Amino acid sequence: MTDSSPAPAPRRVRVRAPELIGKGGWLNTGGHQYTLADLRGRIIILDFWTFCCVNCLHVLDELRELEEKHRDTVVVVGVHSPKFVHEAEHQAVVDAVERYGVEHPVLDDPELATWKQYAVRAWPTLVVIDPEGYVVAQHAGEGHVHAIERLVAELEAEHAAKGTLRRGDGPYVAPEPEPTALRFPGKALVLPGGNILVSDTTRHQLVELAEDGETVVRRIGSGVRGFADGGAQTAAFNEPQGLALLDDSAVVVADTVNHALRRLDLGSGAVTTLAGTGRQWWQGSPTSGPAREVDLSSPWDVALFGGRVWIAMAGVHQLWAYDPADGTVGVVAGTTNEGLVDGPGAEAWFAQPSGLAAAPDGERLWLADSETSALRWVDRAGVVHTAVGTGLFDFGHRDGAAGQALLQHPLGVTVLPDGSVAVSDTYNHALRRYDPATGEVSTLATDLREPSDAVLVGEDIVVVESARHRLTRLRLPEEAVTVDAVAHRTRRAATEVAPGALRLDVIFQAPAGQKLDTRYGPSTRLLVSATPPELLLKGEGAGTDLTRALELDPAVPEGVLHVSAMAASCDDGPANEYPACHVHQQDWGVPVRLTEGAADRLPLVLAGLDPQA
């Protein structure tokens, strides 16, 4: 699997693409319901995604340039395949398509019918179909668009010569814009004078509202997706999210899709860049240094804690910190592995941390760890703890003792006057409360629509009701709201595997014209673990070979295999003194059920096609 010799051209494997089926139907097509036959003659890129997944959002951004460059030959089709129960709601998918600026057709597949037909195992996964309707490549994770673009160029030439390429306008039909003051706002901040600053995420702006939370005082940013410093009208953001006061005159902004921290001067409205290069952080990039020289990855929220600006670095499942005193930035907690592991910062695992709030006494930094549906906190010594949540696959709406309480993909946290914490429980459309004194979880309010943050204003709490495009003012209730308890697990069916010996194969074929980068040692990495840990008798841990012999305990009937893989490839050719190099990486959580007589091999495609399929 790690052989650096040229791989055979994957497009010669003639696998007919299964039909596209989704109970929710098609979006962004003006109401037309498409089949593969309707798209014959075009190069189709299927993007299996779910809107909770930050890696899926990265791929949406990676695809934008390719879509524009090859718009007359390529049709990207997003196949929305939900992880959480909320993501199976059709209106939620409609909202997400607008929220993230998806400018291609999307098939809403709430029952994972197409996901199963294509044997997809991870979000995100890209599948390339040639103009004759055959699958020619599959890629899991991020960082593959350069390889897909090269393949697209080859397919264009090949099928133009054969007469099987059909050029023309694609099926995308833009929806009508809605005239609301805010559009999918993300986070909010009360300014020193009492006004409220909101990140108007989908419109790529910041909006200052009067104390009533409705009257627009001013807008910061051009409103066009971009990355530019300047005055209030010329500066450009790209889906900004978190906001925090640096001091009484300035705000730090998590400019999420620009992978940057920006500074807003409250007096003049001028925007400058504090940290980030505009490029996304990849494995092997520096993890500390001068802030303007270090790459970041989807910073989602910011909070001042211990004299530094802590950053919820959702894109790499870590916490970073920016030091205003010396202008540096660096990792403070997390390994980049996705999951829920407590302990010292260097050993802790997170899963898309998306909300931060420092306790007024400076003793705790609270965080919403969205993909584990967890409320967690960091103490002054940098040790990570979990208050609510058990891992990547359990979620729901259940109050009571924190050990058994459930959240569903929370994005925001707010410290209340009594020291308890309000959680913007986004996919439950609720505001929840955790009381550290009693260890109890309760519900403060329901019938909110994807709440993503909340701020205190006097005796009220103002909630960012993201999918209703507004701020909603609530009086903090004295008693909890009663809700019916509900618990869920991630919807994917388990893969049946044989107990005992199991061969794990991560398939990686370097793109055409490239080879594995071995100049500085092994170019591949594989990390394997399991939930529960007892599932794995052998094969846990890190290594450089993409093939691993595992042994599963027959006494553990089911569990989840966590697999993280990385491969680096570079342009081939002795004349190329400075080859361009690319990192391909993906994390899988594979639910498995041990069944006698089932397969003793588990293939996971990072890039290419499984030769044994």
Side-chain angles (χ1 to χ4, degrees):
M1 314 313 297
T2 58
D3 183 5
S4 61
S5 59
R11 65 177 184 274
R12 293 178 182 170
V13 180
R14 305 289 283 176
V15 178
R16 176 66 71 179
E19 189 54 83
L20 304 179
I21 303 167
K23 189 175 181 180
W26 290 79
L27 306 176
N28 280 357
T29 62
H32 190 88
Q33 305 297 301
Y34 281 90
T35 66
L36 278 176
D38 297 327
L39 303 175
R40 190 65 50 81
R42 311 297 288 274
I43 300 164
I44 302 170
I45 301 174
L46 301 182
D47 176 16
F48 289 88
W49 70 298
T50 188
F51 63 78
C52 71
C53 161
V54 72
N55 310 93
C56 299
L57 305 185
H58 291 167
V59 169
L60 287 176
D61 292 311
E62 290 177 3
L63 286 170
R64 294 185 200 279
E65 185 176 343
L66 183 148
E67 289 181 86
E68 180 61 29
K69 184 176 178 181
H70 300 272
R71 64 191 317 171
D72 66 333
T73 59
V74 170
V75 175
V76 176
V77 174
V79 182
H80 189 268
S81 313
K83 170 185 175 180
F84 290 98
V85 168
H86 169 60
E87 293 173 308
E89 297 175 15
H90 182 70
Q91 185 57 48
V93 181
V94 173
D95 289 344
V97 167
E98 180 188 351
R99 180 195 298 270
Y100 296 115
V102 179
E103 296 184 355
H104 52 245
V106 173
L107 176 65
D108 180 12
D109 182 18
E111 297 177 345
L112 302 179
T114 297
W115 164 287
K116 294 171 186 173
Q117 286 293 313
Y118 281 82
V120 174
R121 297 184 186 274
W123 297 279
T125 291
L126 297 171
V127 175
V128 182
I129 302 172
D130 74 12
E132 295 179 287
Y134 290 93
V135 174
V136 292
Q138 181 171 327
H139 302 265
E142 306 177 49
H144 300 293
V145 170
H146 70 282
I148 291 174
E149 183 158 20
R150 184 170 295 193
L151 175 59
V152 164
E154 293 178 1
L155 291 171
E156 286 175 339
E158 175 185 337
H159 289 272
K162 291 174 64 175
T164 50
L165 183 68
R166 179 166 58 89
R167 295 180 182 269
D169 293 334
Y172 170 68
V173 178
E176 288 292 325
E178 297 286 344
T180 53
L182 301 172
R183 205 69 193 162
F184 297 104
K187 304 289 185 180
L189 174 69
V190 179
L191 298 176
N195 286 354
I196 303 174
L197 187 68
V198 182
S199 54
D200 196 16
T201 304
T202 296
R203 292 204 176 119
H204 315 296
Q205 289 182 319
L206 309 179
V207 179
E208 184 177 343
L209 302 175
E211 294 182 47
D212 62 9
E214 297 179 4
T215 305
V216 176
V217 175
R218 61 173 172 168
R219 294 181 180 271
I220 310 293
S222 66
V224 177
R225 187 189 296 271
F227 188 15
D229 290 344
Q233 304 307 312
T234 58
F237 298 97
N238 198 343
E239 298 183 24
Q241 286 280 351
L243 307 165
L245 280 172
L246 273 176
D247 51 49
D248 286 348
S249 64
V251 171
V252 59
V253 182
D255 193 6
T256 304
V257 180
N258 278 330
H259 311 295
L261 297 188
R262 316 292 292 282
R263 179 186 185 274
L264 168 65
D265 185 288
L266 289 173
S268 67
V271 176
T272 53
T273 299
L274 293 174
T277 63
R279 298 184 300 272
Q280 184 182 339
W281 186 94
W282 289 101
Q283 290 286 352
S285 302
T287 56
S288 63
R292 292 293 305 274
E293 300 175 14
V294 176
D295 299 338
L296 309 181
S297 183
S298 295
W300 209 275
D301 203 5
V302 282
L304 202 62
F305 180 64
R308 294 184 291 174
V309 177
W310 285 57
I311 309 163
M313 203 71 78
V316 284
H317 318 298
Q318 290 180 314
L319 301 181
W320 289 44
Y322 165 73
D323 190 336
D326 61 12
T328 60
V329 70
V331 178
V332 287
T335 64
T336 75
N337 296 316
E338 185 178 13
L340 193 154
V341 176
D342 290 339
E347 302 172 10
W349 290 24
F350 300 97
Q352 245 170 268
S354 301
L356 298 174
D361 61 6
E363 292 296 322
R364 294 185 180 189
L365 178 71
W366 293 97
L367 68 105
D369 202 29
S370 61
E371 280 293 283
T372 54
S373 297
L375 172 65
R376 307 176 73 184
W377 54 280
V378 183
D379 63 27
R380 292 183 66 180
V383 178
V384 179
H385 310 261
T386 297
V388 182
T390 59
L392 287 165
F393 302 99
D394 294 290
F395 57 92
H397 192 154
R398 188 160 63 197
D399 289 331
Q404 55 84 53
L406 294 172
L407 309 169
Q408 186 179 179
H409 196 80
L411 291 179
V413 282
T414 308
V415 180
L416 300 179
D418 64 357
S420 64
V421 181
V423 180
S424 295
D425 193 6
T426 310
Y427 288 2
N428 280 328
H429 309 302
L431 192 66
R432 312 286 292 284
R433 175 179 179 264
Y434 168 70
D435 186 349
T438 63
E440 292 285 314
V441 175
S442 56
T443 297
L444 297 175
T446 57
D447 193 31
L448 301 166
R449 186 70 187 171
E450 292 192 15
S452 54
D453 197 17
V455 292
L456 292 171
V457 179
E459 296 182 355
D460 297 336
I461 189 164
V462 175
V463 180
V464 180
E465 218 178 337
S466 188
R468 285 199 178 114
H469 320 293
R470 70 187 187 192
L471 304 188
T472 299
R473 187 180 297 261
L474 304 172
R475 180 59 52 91
L476 284 170
E478 295 182 4
E479 296 183 1
V481 177
T482 300
V483 296
D484 293 329
V486 60
H488 302 286
R489 298 211 83 216
T490 298
R491 298 157 54 89
R492 286 175 295 163
T495 298
E496 293 193 347
V497 295
L502 177 70
R503 176 186 172 94
L504 172 65
D505 284 339
V506 174
I507 289 89
F508 177 76
Q509 296 167 331
Q514 294 186 12
K515 64 178 181 179
L516 287 172
D517 178 17
T518 56
R519 292 172 299 164
Y520 308 108
S523 62
T524 55
R525 185 191 69 172
L526 182 64
L527 177 68
V528 180
S529 63
T531 302
E534 296 78 20
L535 174 64
L536 267 180
L537 294 175
K538 175 185 172 185
E540 183 179 12
T544 58
D545 194 344
L546 293 182
T547 292
R548 181 81 57 88
L550 310 181
E551 185 176 350
L552 306 183
D553 188 346
V556 180
E558 60 183 17
V560 178
L561 290 175
H562 305 282
V563 180
S564 176
M566 184 273 289
S569 63
C570 292
D571 291 343
D572 199 1
N576 196 341
E577 186 176 357
Y578 301 104
C581 297
H582 308 273
V583 175
H584 317 256
Q585 62 185 46
Q586 174 61 24
D587 296 331
W588 290 267
V590 184
V592 295
R593 180 180 301 113
L594 274 57
T595 305
E596 290 290 345
D600 60 1
R601 175 178 178 263
L602 177 62
L604 300 175
V605 176
L606 179 59
L609 293 172
D610 181 6
Q612 298 184 40

